[in-house]
Amino acid sequence: MTTVALAVAEGMLHFELSMAYEVFGSKPPSVPGPWYDLVVCGEGAVRAGRFRLEPDHGLDRLPSADTVIVPGWDVDVDPPGRLVDAVRAAHEAGARVASLCTGAFVLAAAGLLDGRRATTHWAHTQALAERHPGVEVDPDVLYVDNGSVLTSAGKAAAMDLCLHLVRLDRGSAVANTVARRLVVPPHRDGGQAQFVTAPVPAPGDHPLAGLLPWAIERLDRPLTVADLARRARMSPRNLGRHFRAVTGTTPLQWLLAQRIRHAQQLLETTDDGVDAIAAATGMGTATTLRRHFNRTVGVPPDTYRRTFRSRAAGRPGPAS
């Protein structure tokens, strides 16, 4: 069972802390097999906002965890040295370390972001860059995955990173199940801009409410921007503006993301060949699917299938 440790200290922000606890501490009933072993680590009772928290273990438990998550931090206060040392020791011991929102300041203090690209809440990116000039701060993305070190922007982007971690560990089908249970979008790419005019629109609450489900049901077809515009009864230019406002991306980029996500689900849950999956996702040919899949996911479809089939069977997949 994979151990996820929440590293807590006086000054942590409760929103990101509770978000991570909900994702990694609550197994969806429909997901088979074991879930994460979630532990909360800190030096005695701490306050997170107006809440008092009793950790399960001391900070010395962090180096034995598979993943360490550092929630949001009060950037006006220097993080405690013992917390910084414990997070650094966990990374040196091989743990994957992720920060949510301003938790990036703790990772930076530990030296884990030196020479790496990272992000945090947009309101604090300048402060992060000024205090830690060795960090390549990217203010325009939702999260950054450096493999063993990950950082997210603020609030909702912290959920995106948590779901990204579940997707890496258990596959997109399980991550989508978690997202449905929490009633949040199943996947927003880390490279998406932090600023979205209508971040997470409710069904029926935006001009594309009827179009997006219609398109998702027709991913096997060669949809074009003209097809989408015709369905939405808009001009292509007007459609593009609405897509930017609602999803933060273009119609074609959004379509490609949905096709890749559908391909991930088919690779995880069926024995269909790559040619059949290319047809089912509207990619046309196996060559096209492999090119887009490898560029987006980072591995070829066959490797992706082997990885998540082995994990579903209870055997460890490649290290993240």
Side-chain angles (χ1 to χ4, degrees):
M1 183 182 295
T2 300
T3 300
V4 172
L6 295 181
V8 301
E10 201 79 22
M12 288 291 176
L13 306 181
H14 64 273
F15 183 86
E16 292 81 6
L17 177 65
S18 59
M19 182 185 296
Y21 193 94
E22 182 65 24
V23 170
F24 299 104
S26 301
K27 177 187 174 184
S30 61
V31 174
W35 194 235
Y36 294 93
D37 177 23
L38 179 67
V39 295
V40 180
C41 304
E43 291 193 308
V46 300
R47 294 197 69 82
R50 299 184 65 179
F51 301 96
R52 179 181 172 87
L53 186 67
E54 296 282 352
D56 307 311
H57 303 274
L59 292 173
D60 57 355
R61 177 73 168 79
L62 295 185
S64 61
D66 299 293
T67 297
V68 172
I69 294 180
V70 182
W73 179 258
D74 182 352
V75 299
D76 294 326
V77 179
D78 290 334
R82 291 185 180 180
L83 172 65
V84 171
D85 291 344
V87 169
R88 184 189 302 114
H91 183 258
E92 291 173 350
R96 178 177 61 183
V97 179
S99 65
L100 306 181
C101 193
T102 50
F105 283 78
V106 178
L107 271 59
L112 302 188
L113 302 183
D114 288 345
R116 287 188 166 104
R117 181 166 156 266
T119 194
T120 188
H121 191 290
W122 63 266
H124 303 291
T125 51
Q126 183 174 350
L128 182 62
E130 291 174 351
R131 295 183 201 177
H132 302 280
V135 181
E136 182 187 342
V137 180
D138 189 339
D140 298 323
V141 296
L142 294 179
Y143 58 85
V144 176
D145 182 349
N146 287 303
S148 63
V149 179
L150 305 92
T151 54
S152 86
K155 306 303 179 185
M159 175 61 77
D160 292 315
L161 180 54
C162 288
L163 291 175
H164 175 67
L165 292 172
V166 174
R167 189 174 297 106
L168 290 174
D169 295 338
R170 302 294 300 272
S172 63
V174 172
N176 293 343
T177 298
V178 175
R180 283 194 296 272
R181 180 175 65 85
L182 298 176
V183 197
V184 297
H187 179 63
R188 294 198 297 168
D189 184 74
Q192 183 172 315
Q194 289 194 36
F195 291 100
V196 181
T197 305
V200 185
D205 195 30
H206 59 90
L208 304 182
L211 177 65
L212 301 186
W214 177 87
I216 288 174
E217 291 174 1
R218 292 163 176 78
L219 293 177
D220 59 326
R221 306 180 188 181
L223 296 174
T224 65
V225 173
D227 294 329
L228 297 176
R230 190 178 306 112
R231 176 69 185 183
R233 298 182 179 179
M234 300 178 186
S235 69
R237 178 174 295 182
N238 196 28
L239 179 74
R241 284 197 295 266
H242 283 298
F243 255 89
R244 279 289 184 188
V246 171
T247 71
T249 188
T250 68
L252 289 181
Q253 288 171 334
W254 180 85
L255 266 177
L256 178 61
Q258 306 314 306
R259 296 188 197 282
I260 294 296
R261 185 162 63 86
H262 188 37
Q264 289 176 301
Q265 292 177 321
L266 293 176
L267 288 165
E268 295 170 25
T269 60
T270 75
D271 293 319
D272 293 349
V274 176
D275 287 299
I277 292 176
T281 57
M283 293 286 193
T285 67
T287 300
T288 300
L289 172 60
R290 287 192 173 96
R291 182 175 70 253
H292 287 297
F293 196 95
N294 200 2
R295 186 174 60 194
T296 302
V297 181
V299 295
D302 294 333
T303 302
Y304 183 89
R305 168 173 273 165
R306 286 195 301 271
T307 298
F308 288 107
R309 284 296 178 87
S310 67
R311 292 179 186 181
R315 298 185 298 274
S320 297

